[in-house]
Amino acid sequence: MTLVIVVKFGGDLVANKEVLEKLAQDIAEVSGKDKVVVVHGGGDIVTAIAEKLGKPQVFITSPDGFRSRYTDKETAEIYMMVMAGRINKEVVVSLLKAGVKAVGISGVDGALLKAERKKKLIIIDERGRKRAIEGGYTGRIIDVDADLLDALLGKGIIPVVAPVAIGDENEVLNVDGDRAAAHVARALKANTLVLLTDVEGVMINDKLVEKMDLSRTRSMLKRVGAGMITKLYAAIEALEGGVEKVVIASGLKDKPITSALMGKGTVITVGT
């Protein structure tokens, strides 16, 4: 039985050429028997390039603990240039080197990812108070064109998706990579969503949480840091959308995806 697997990894893993090479080799192995879609991040790389271009980046925190980039129009342009350009093509090249036929595609291409522009954002300001600010060019994904991804997968091609979306007024919007991966997994009715990071999985008191159900995952939201909370929300969204299993695991191993599919990391399912 051929499975559908969505793999998401972030900028820390992309920026390390040796790690990216191992990821690509593992994807090549896994895609020999299953269908794989890659979603990448790269926020730190966007930040570094934006600052080199003289555009300091501003980060905000929501009442739920999300830390995100405030995206004005100029930042949105830089975000698209770096995320859908440089980073996306670096991932594609790494897969081609591993012998995999890969095509880079952003959420803008073919309107793959449609998002609703956030009109306002509620943030926690420097005094610890809630405050509403103009939403900028940040979006909430509302639709994924699964047919477009299925067409590529049907030809034995691995889609490499950059988390940039298109809005109602055809504006480019910044969307969270983990949650973009969750929406892609839902749309494809994927068997497994693998979220790779630089730690072993969900850690509580320096101990790996090996298994969680939806109820426990929700209860964990207030106990993890800003870096992990988006992954937990993504896991919840994926499972609620019909994905069978989400694995949060380290991308620093020799075969990180194979390892995650074998249950190494934090495995999250609807029930126990």
Side-chain angles (χ1 to χ4, degrees):
M1 178 182 173
T2 301
L3 304 179
V4 177
I5 300 160
V6 176
V7 178
K8 189 270 177 179
F9 46 84
D12 288 348
L13 304 181
V14 174
N16 186 318
K17 301 304 180 187
E18 184 178 339
V19 170
L20 184 56
E21 184 177 304
K22 288 180 180 179
L23 280 170
Q25 290 169 348
D26 199 24
I27 290 168
E29 187 171 322
V30 172
S31 65
K33 54 185 182 299
D34 297 316
K35 294 180 178 180
V36 179
V37 175
V38 173
V39 180
H40 65 79
D44 290 345
I45 300 170
V46 173
T47 299
I49 292 177
E51 292 181 351
K52 285 181 181 178
L53 294 172
K55 178 65 176 177
Q57 299 293 277
V58 175
F59 291 88
I60 55 177
T61 302
S62 76
D64 291 328
F66 284 110
R67 184 175 183 270
S68 61
R69 183 187 314 273
Y70 182 74
T71 310
D72 59 14
K73 187 169 180 57
E74 187 178 2
T75 295
E77 291 170 351
I78 295 170
Y79 185 88
M80 178 174 63
M81 175 183 73
V82 180
M83 194 69 75
R86 174 180 160 177
I87 298 172
N88 188 264
K89 300 318 166 196
E90 284 181 351
V91 176
V92 170
V93 168
S94 71
L95 288 167
L96 293 174
K97 285 181 179 177
V100 173
K101 197 171 185 180
V103 168
I105 183 170
S106 78
V108 170
D109 297 305
L112 173 64
L113 302 179
K114 291 182 182 177
E116 177 184 35
R117 184 173 172 183
K118 297 178 183 179
K119 304 303 181 187
K120 69 175 183 178
L121 300 170
I122 306 299
I123 67 167
I124 302 297
D125 65 19
E126 59 278 359
R127 295 176 295 176
R129 298 177 182 175
K130 290 183 181 180
R131 181 162 62 91
I133 62 173
E134 200 272 324
Y137 288 81
T138 301
R140 181 183 296 105
I141 296 174
I142 56 174
D143 188 55
V144 177
D145 187 349
D147 290 342
L148 181 53
L149 296 174
D150 276 329
L152 292 169
L153 290 169
K155 292 187 176 295
I157 297 170
I158 291 184
V160 179
V161 181
V164 183
I166 190 81
D168 291 339
E169 299 174 3
N170 294 314
E171 72 275 41
V172 173
L173 299 175
N174 168 9
V175 291
D176 177 74
D178 291 323
R179 299 178 88 169
H183 280 272
V184 167
R186 287 169 61 133
L188 289 172
K189 297 179 173 56
N191 301 90
T192 306
L193 168 61
V194 177
L195 300 173
L196 296 178
T197 183
D198 57 357
V199 294
E200 292 298 315
V202 179
M203 308 293 292
I204 299 295
N205 299 324
D206 295 324
K207 185 177 180 181
L208 175 67
V209 180
E210 295 183 353
K211 293 183 179 180
M212 297 196 295
D213 60 12
L214 261 180
S215 176
R216 190 179 182 194
T217 303
R218 291 191 184 97
S219 73
M220 286 285 189
L221 291 171
K222 299 296 184 183
R223 300 182 62 190
V224 298
M228 186 58 69
I229 195 170
T230 57
K231 289 177 172 50
L232 292 188
Y233 270 106
I236 291 167
E237 289 171 344
L239 293 170
E240 288 180 340
V243 177
E244 294 176 13
K245 178 172 63 177
V246 179
V247 186
I248 301 173
S250 171
L252 301 175
K253 298 180 178 181
D254 284 342
K255 292 189 175 184
I257 300 154
T258 298
S259 175
L261 293 174
M262 293 172 61
K264 302 295 176 62
T266 300
V267 178
I268 307 174
T269 54
V270 173
T272 52

